[in-house]
Amino acid sequence: MGRQYSNTSSRQIWQPNPALDLPMYRQIEAYIRQKITTGEWSAGTRLPSQRTLATSMGVNRSTLVTALDNLTAAGMIEGRHGGGTYVSGSGWHSMAHAALPNWSEAAQEGWYYPNLPEIQQINQAEFRPGIIRLGTGELAPELMPNEAFNKILQTLSSQTRMLNYIEPQGSLALREALSIHLQSNGIQASPDSILIVSGSLQALHLISVGLLPRGSAVLLEKPSYLYSIHAFQSAGLKLNGIAMEEEGLHLGHLEHAIHTLHSGNDENNSESFPLLYTIPSFHNPTGSVMSCRRRDELMSLARNSGISILEDAAYQELWLDHPPPLPLKAMDQEGRVLHMGTLSKAVSPGLRLGWLVGPVPVIRRLADIKMQTDYGTSSLAQEAAALWFTDGHHTTHMERLRPELRRRRDFMLELLHRYFHDIAEWATPEGGFYIWLHFTAEPLSTRKLFSACLEADVLIHPGYLYDRMDASHIRLSYAYASQDEMERGLIVLAQEAHRLMKPSV
């Protein structure tokens, strides 16, 4: 009936076929009718805007409106007060199915929070052909170790154990390899104290439901990556942001927050066990590094106050100028620190593989929950990762990756000096992926800037994703876009920023 085109995400996008005898508005009508009658678009589902539908289908708006009018007349769709077109919950379709499930309503009733609208837009736009991704927190495909993993997979192809289930905590071979690897960062961790997870996000989910009662407090830097997802809030946990300064967390503010939590609790209150989530090395989104002195002070405060720490070390090895201080876990002599690591940033996000280091009772508890949810991280990915470390690929890869990231960082800094010297300020990151760009000229709406850039096929990450009150920052990444894309994207960003700063006449 119609043509289908695929983009870089391999998602099929339907369009009517003008070569057919059936008019295009009839093809659109039949397509939408099929979506409704098969239940894919259930009662109450909101259709995309007419402009969005017409653009994606490659037709004039008048053609689309004709199809929608016919479907409205047939009782398939309806307009609602306040705007929008929805799949009808009444009419012949519901009469034929008296007990139609209201999936749209059910989708709003689940306890897990939806992503912020801008996050949803980013997740969709990242796979749009021609988009320039200036904020993406992952390596460009050409920076990933494809050749090394091809060799690893060839080696694994002669083995059979990779197709079996693996024990709850993960592949012993991988945990042994990680135990050795962690020693290079000063962390002493036996295989029994390591849990293999499907990326850091799964570790956050497991901790939120397995260790912290609903209502517990989670302290964290503000801004923070954790504000852009809902792993903890959806589990009924409360986020308490702590301001940052040049050396890292503002310990005076942290101490005050801990005191407030303790003074407001009785001995039966679940909030008496606060957890601090921190990204001390190449922080997301600011790119900052917690100083060695601040790490010592933080560990001392943790011991005196009784708090525990969840250390996210996703960027620990991505130093460009010099290595950061040792992780907090390397300073931990009490089992106070849970340490998260991952291959998603430095190696490949597609592996979906990370690890959590902690006291054995904690690891066993979370391993049990993990087995109840997914029965273990991919066996193939774990066996590949074990060879990745034991065969020396990781060391070789990092030695090749750091100079390339340094070159990209320096090129982006050069462009910022060229195009943003009069409207923004920034610090030079010593590692990681990010530059935290602060617009100094007023007024500028970063919400409008996000939308304007997206219209021009440039994708940025506004600061309010990481701090709801932030109105002057955006997170830039030099890890994904090519040099050509960087320059074209930053030119668009500068032009839109200058346009939005002009006073209206």
Side-chain angles (χ1 to χ4, degrees):
M1 183 186 70
R3 295 177 295 176
Q4 291 189 330
Y5 298 94
S6 62
N7 61 15
T8 54
S9 67
S10 299
R11 183 181 61 182
Q12 299 298 308
I13 300 177
W14 181 88
Q15 290 186 338
N17 188 346
L20 297 181
D21 292 336
L22 189 66
M24 287 201 290
Y25 78 90
R26 288 292 188 189
Q27 294 182 45
I28 296 171
E29 183 181 339
Y31 170 75
I32 296 177
R33 185 185 295 270
Q34 180 188 42
K35 290 287 186 183
I36 295 173
T37 56
T38 59
E40 186 173 341
W41 291 1
S42 58
T45 297
R46 181 171 182 168
L47 273 63
S49 68
Q50 291 182 2
R51 177 184 175 186
T52 300
L53 276 175
T55 300
S56 67
M57 292 181 176
V59 298
N60 294 327
R61 191 169 175 177
S62 59
T63 301
L64 175 69
V65 169
T66 300
L68 296 180
D69 286 345
N70 289 344
L71 291 166
T72 301
M76 303 289 288
I77 60 175
E78 60 186 8
R80 292 188 182 176
H81 180 70
T85 302
Y86 296 78
V87 175
S88 179
S90 59
W92 73 269
H93 187 51
S94 60
M95 292 292 289
H97 305 82
L100 277 175
N102 192 333
W103 288 114
S104 295
E105 182 176 323
Q108 302 301 316
E109 295 297 326
W111 59 267
Y112 205 93
Y113 291 9
N115 266 323
L116 295 171
E118 289 86 353
I119 293 290
Q120 295 186 38
Q121 285 181 280
I122 289 170
N123 290 340
Q124 295 172 4
E126 282 187 329
F127 300 97
R128 200 164 77 193
I131 198 81
I132 296 177
R133 297 161 64 171
L134 286 184
T136 296
E138 65 184 70
L139 292 177
E142 62 269 21
L143 298 183
M144 294 180 193
N146 298 301
E147 183 178 344
F149 268 94
N150 284 338
K151 293 179 180 178
I152 288 172
L153 293 176
Q154 288 175 1
T155 300
L156 290 177
S157 65
S158 62
Q159 302 178 9
T160 57
R161 61 176 180 166
M162 64 182 178
L163 300 180
N164 297 332
Y165 284 128
I166 291 180
E167 60 184 288
Q169 282 184 228
S171 159
L172 178 58
L174 176 55
R175 288 185 286 122
E176 289 174 338
L178 284 170
S179 178
I180 296 171
H181 172 69
L182 289 166
Q183 291 177 21
S184 65
N185 282 317
I187 297 175
Q188 302 298 320
S190 72
D192 287 342
S193 66
I194 300 173
L195 172 66
I196 305 302
V197 291
S198 300
S200 297
L201 267 178
Q202 186 178 52
L204 294 175
H205 286 293
L206 292 173
I207 290 168
S208 68
V209 300
L211 300 181
L212 304 174
R214 294 184 69 86
S216 296
V218 176
L219 305 166
L220 72 164
E221 292 123 341
K222 192 172 186 179
S224 174
Y225 156 77
L226 203 58
Y227 280 106
S228 69
I229 60 174
H230 293 135
F232 283 6
Q233 301 98 312
S234 294
L237 306 177
K238 302 174 183 178
L239 300 187
N240 192 333
I242 308 298
M244 299 176 67
E245 52 185 359
E246 186 175 352
E247 289 192 66
L249 271 168
H250 192 298
L251 293 191
H253 291 181
L254 175 60
E255 189 170 11
H256 176 73
I258 295 170
H259 175 74
T260 301
L261 289 172
H262 283 323
S263 63
N265 297 334
D266 57 42
E267 62 181 7
N268 295 319
N269 194 307
S270 63
E271 290 190 5
S272 61
F273 181 69
L275 177 74
L276 169 67
Y277 170 85
T278 179
I279 310 173
S281 296
F282 314 122
H283 177 262
N284 181 6
T286 67
S288 64
V289 178
M290 187 183 295
S291 70
C292 187
R293 181 179 69 173
R294 184 56 50 87
R295 295 178 195 228
D296 286 334
E297 294 170 341
L298 174 58
M299 292 301 293
S300 177
L301 175 59
R303 284 190 293 270
N304 293 333
S305 63
I307 67 168
S308 295
I309 298 174
L310 175 57
E311 177 183 31
D312 190 338
Y315 304 92
Q316 177 76 29
E317 296 186 283
L318 289 167
W319 54 269
L320 304 182
D321 300 319
H322 51 79
L326 289 177
L328 298 172
K329 185 62 179 174
M331 308 162 63
D332 181 24
Q333 298 178 343
E334 304 164 316
R336 186 177 299 280
V337 178
L338 301 178
H339 177 89
M340 291 196 313
T342 181
L343 291 181
S344 294
K345 299 303 179 182
V347 182
S348 165
L351 279 175
R352 305 309 310 132
L353 197 143
W355 53 90
L356 182 70
V357 180
V360 171
V362 169
I363 295 302
R364 288 177 178 170
R365 162 69 170 155
L366 299 185
D368 176 64
I369 298 174
K370 178 174 168 57
M371 289 299 284
Q372 295 181 58
T373 56
D374 70 359
Y375 229 79
T377 298
S378 164
S379 304
L380 177 58
Q382 292 189 62
E383 297 296 346
L387 289 179
W388 170 256
F389 285 108
T390 58
D391 288 359
H393 295 292
H394 188 73
T395 300
T396 301
H397 170 66
M398 295 308 299
E399 290 173 349
R400 293 174 178 171
L401 177 62
R402 290 189 186 105
E404 177 60 24
L405 285 178
R406 189 182 304 118
R407 183 181 66 83
R408 287 170 176 247
R409 177 202 62 181
D410 293 345
F411 183 71
M412 178 171 276
L413 290 171
E414 178 187 328
L415 294 174
L416 291 178
H417 283 292
R418 188 183 309 169
Y419 299 114
F420 293 84
H421 64 276
D422 57 336
I423 59 172
E425 60 185 13
W426 56 90
T428 298
E430 298 175 354
F433 291 164
Y434 309 119
I435 295 176
W436 191 230
L437 190 71
H438 174 224
F439 288 102
T440 54
E442 298 288 348
L444 174 64
S445 167
T446 50
R447 292 184 183 274
K448 291 181 179 179
L449 183 62
F450 170 78
S451 298
C453 287
L454 189 56
E455 284 285 328
D457 286 334
V458 174
L459 193 57
I460 61 173
H461 287 221
Y464 57 80
L465 299 180
Y466 312 101
D467 176 358
R468 299 293 182 269
M469 303 304 294
D470 190 293
S472 60
H473 288 89
I474 63 172
R475 188 190 82 175
L476 295 175
S477 168
Y478 45 81
Y480 193 87
S482 66
Q483 285 194 352
D484 175 66
E485 289 173 330
M486 269 189 214
E487 182 155 21
R488 288 190 289 116
L490 287 174
I491 289 174
V492 169
L493 176 60
Q495 290 173 340
E496 293 299 335
H498 279 97
R499 181 180 65 81
L500 290 170
M501 288 175 185
K502 291 181 179 178
S504 56
V505 179

